[in-house]
Amino acid sequence: MLQDLSRLEKAVALAQIQPSPANLEALHFALDVAFLRHADKVAAYRGGIIAGSDVFATDLEKALNQLDMTLQARPVTRATLAPHVARIEEVRQRLKVLSDAVFQRSMEQASAQRSELRSLQSSTSAMIFLLGAFGLGLVALLLRQQSIIRALECRDRELQDSERAERELRERQERIADNVPGVIFQLRLEADGKLVFPYTSKGLAKFFGVTPEAAAEDGSRVLDALIAEDRGRVRRALQRSAESLQPWTSECRVQRPDGRIVWLSSFATPQRKPDGAVLWHGHCHDITRYKAAEEEIRNLAFFDPLTGLPNRRLLTDRLSHALATHGRNRQHGALLFIDLDNFKTLNDTQGHQYGDQLLCQVAARLSACVREADTVARLGGDEFVVMLEELGTDVASALPRAETAGEKILAALNGAYLLNGQEVHSTPSIGITLFDARDSRVDELLKRADLAMYEAKEAGRNTLRFFDPVMQATVEASSALESDLRRSLREGGFALHYQPQLDRDGNPTGAEALVRWLHPEKGMISPADFIPLAERTGLIVPLGNWVLEAACRQLAAWQQDAHTASLSLAVNVSVRQFRHPDFVEEVEGVIRRTGANPARLKLELTESLLLDDVEEIISKMTRLRQLGVCFSLDDFGTGYSSLAYLKRLPIDQLKIDRSFVRDVLTDPNDAVIARTIIALGHSLGLNVLAEGVETEAQHRFLLEHGCHHFQGFLFGRPRPVWREAGVVVV
Ligand SMILES: Nc1nc2c(ncn2[C@@H]2O[C@@H]3COP(=O)(O)O[C@H]4[C@@H](O)[C@H](n5cnc6c(=O)[nH]c(N)nc65)O[C@@H]4COP(=O)(O)O[C@H]3[C@H]2O)c(=O)[nH]1
């Protein structure tokens, strides 16, 4: 605007100097420009912030309008233009002042704006910084939160994993617990005495008919399922375990929901809880099968399988118990030893089946004769023992009671028996002994009753006898002899004597080995006195083995000498020794050790061996026969051997018992028996040896009737050495 006014001032001044049309034209133009510019700027002047700009705008407008009017009012002369020159110049001067003020103001404003800008910039920077810092913080916060979230997520996953693992473990445990046979449980005894089962596996319902939930509410329901007899015992065991904090174990019976009674074995360990309760962790399982096996073993161990009666072991046990009790109550008891007369004959002639039936019926009759508290036992074979208890506090009252019981048994066993539809008669012999607490040895008492039973047999059978002091002396002597026998077996004291055996031409064929006991005080004791004792006590087995070994050693020694090399040696073998399970191995071992020729060894068996288990005997004899050993049947004719068996036995020789030989010339019966045995031997292809030949007459008789071999005092007594034709071989 200032330039436009300057141009207008110049144009006015020129036109005034020379109001030519060109100058006027230029003046018009400059005035128009000034108008235009003023129109542009007038708003700014009016609203200007510089003092006087409003007035200036009015004055400028006025000056311009007046110039315009002057130019419009023609003619335009120097004079009409003259006032305008000064006016325009004055306006221009004012505008210049104003412009300077505006400039100044602008400068100030610019400076103010700059500083404002600067402060704005700095505040913006601060804000940016703050924002940055805040942002960073925010980022850090976000990152932190992010890592917390990640950690939390991780922890959550871990928790989920451990929860899942725990759930799986619990499920697995429950599956195991539910499939384990029996019941796994937690049992709690509260301080107030209440029982609960906080946990039970599923087996509980199967055994006790109680659900785990019901047991968790009230544990006594579980105990109520036990059979009444066992309940108190189990509760007491629990109580003891709670007091001592020792494991609780018990075996008890429970009636299952299906009605079956089963045996359970329980084991649980207790723990005292802070609230005073006791908590057990435990399990129980079905032991019915073991119990049944245990029962069976007990039965086998203590009961006779045939009759179901107690056996010797249980009788011994009860007798010891009775002796102890009688000591306290001063009571007397009685032992009755019962043996069936002629049982062996029946068994042998009719067969074992009959024998077994008879034994079972005898057992039933005996049991019916006594009180519940008394004991009826079977010792084996046809031997029974009845033990009567509490017969009275003195012998005078006990004796008649025992006798009455004995007579009752005698009468009961005398009645006819029906065996396989056949009526059979059997009688017993009964030996009775009284006992009280002073009798401390069970085996002694049994011996006494046994001895009395033999007395009854001697007295004609089918009767009863009491043990008396004379018998007592025999028992004591027998006991003493038994301990001497044991000692001699340990320390040595036996010898073998040899009695020659000859053929029908008088040539020695061998000898029989006969044992002799050289007792340290009593001198030489006859085998007839100690062999039965050795048999009874079982000492016959070690004694028999000693004899066998000594005899085989002798045989081996004979083999070394031409005079004796062909001799055989007969060795007596007792029933008990032969029945020993290792007998065959024993013989085999002895033959091997001594180098004896088994073909020269002749084992003498007695007929009584054939009373039981003939098949087993035959099998053993056959095995020995395969080793080369020969057999002779001793005492032939005195027993009950069946001819049917005889044919099956691998024997070589029959021996006619010396009791027949003794009276062969005087007793026609014995003569017939001797002749029959010789004939039987011939028909079976066996050689026959007559033992106990003392006279020429006996020898002749036997020779005439075809006997092949002989043994007896006539040809030589048993000697510690073999004497023949002046040769002595030890
Ligand atoms: N009156 C008379 N007697 C004669 C005559 N000839 C022999 N004797 C005797 O008759 C017995 C024959 O033996 P046995 O019948 O086997 O009878 C034997 C036998 O059963 C048994 N015995 C002997 N030694 C043993 C052995 O080592 N083991 C076994 N288990 N028993 C044996 O002892 C029984 C008795 O033996 P010993 O006293 O030695 O008695 C022997 C013998 O001395 C005679 O002409 N007249």
Side-chain angles (χ1 to χ4, degrees), residues 35 38 42 46 56-66:
F35 265 120
H38 174 67
V42 70
R46 295 223 187 274
F56 167 75
T58 308
D59 289 348
L60 176 59
E61 203 173 299
K62 238 186 243 173
L64 290 178
N65 282 332
Q66 282 169 351

Side-chain angles (χ1 to χ4, degrees), residues 184-199:
I184 292 178
F185 62 84
Q186 273 184 324
L187 170 61
R188 228 177 119 89
L189 176 63
E190 303 292 1
D192 61 4
K194 189 178 177 199
L195 270 179
V196 287
F197 285 84
Y199 170 79

Side-chain angles (χ1 to χ4, degrees), residues 19 57 92 99 152 210 215 223 225 245 268 311 313 318 323 351 382 400 430 440 481 498 504 546 569 592 604 671:
R92 191 188 53 83
S99 287
L152 283 173
V210 179
L223 295 193
L245 291 183
N311 62 11
R313 192 179 289 128
R318 291 199 183 160
L323 288 173
D382 58 343
I430 304 175
S440 54
L481 207 61
Y498 305 93
R504 55 183 303 131
W546 179 87
L569 191 52
R592 207 178 37 245
E604 286 199 4

Side-chain angles (χ1 to χ4, degrees), residues 499 512-516 526-528 531 540 547 572-574 577 604 634-635 658 691-694 711-714 718:
Q499 186 175 30
E512 179 179 2
L514 295 157
V515 69
R516 296 291 179 262
S526 158
I531 293 287
I540 192 68
V547 168
N572 288 284
V573 176
S574 81
Q577 185 187 359
E604 286 199 4
D634 206 358
D635 307 338
R658 65 173 184 273
E691 66 175 357
V693 182
E694 292 183 358
Q711 178 184 347
F713 292 168
L714 181 66

Side-chain angles (χ1 to χ4, degrees), residues 341-363:
D341 303 327
N342 300 326
F343 173 77
K344 286 183 177 60
T345 317
L346 175 109
N347 207 31
D348 207 41
T349 53
Q350 304 288 325
H352 285 224
Q353 218 197 344
Y354 271 77
D356 287 354
Q357 279 187 37
L358 177 66
L359 292 172
C360 289
Q361 292 188 26
V362 167

Side-chain angles (χ1 to χ4, degrees), residues 184-256:
I184 292 178
F185 62 84
Q186 273 184 324
L187 170 61
R188 228 177 119 89
L189 176 63
E190 303 292 1
D192 61 4
K194 189 178 177 199
L195 270 179
V196 287
F197 285 84
Y199 170 79
T200 45
S201 60
K202 281 195 183 132
L204 186 80
K206 179 179 146 199
F207 286 105
F208 293 83
V210 179
T211 62
E213 294 75 24
E217 237 172 58
D218 182 4
S220 60
R221 288 179 194 165
V222 175
L223 295 193
D224 288 347
L226 300 181
I227 71 157
E229 218 176 292
D230 295 353
R231 232 173 273 154
R233 183 166 51 80
V234 170
R235 275 189 188 277
R236 282 193 298 280
L238 259 180
Q239 197 56 46
R240 272 198 305 279
S241 169
E243 283 161 13
S244 63
L245 291 183
Q246 290 300 308
W248 163 55
T249 52
S250 65
E251 288 183 355
C252 56
R253 284 158 296 174
V254 63
Q255 180 150 29
R256 289 188 359 171

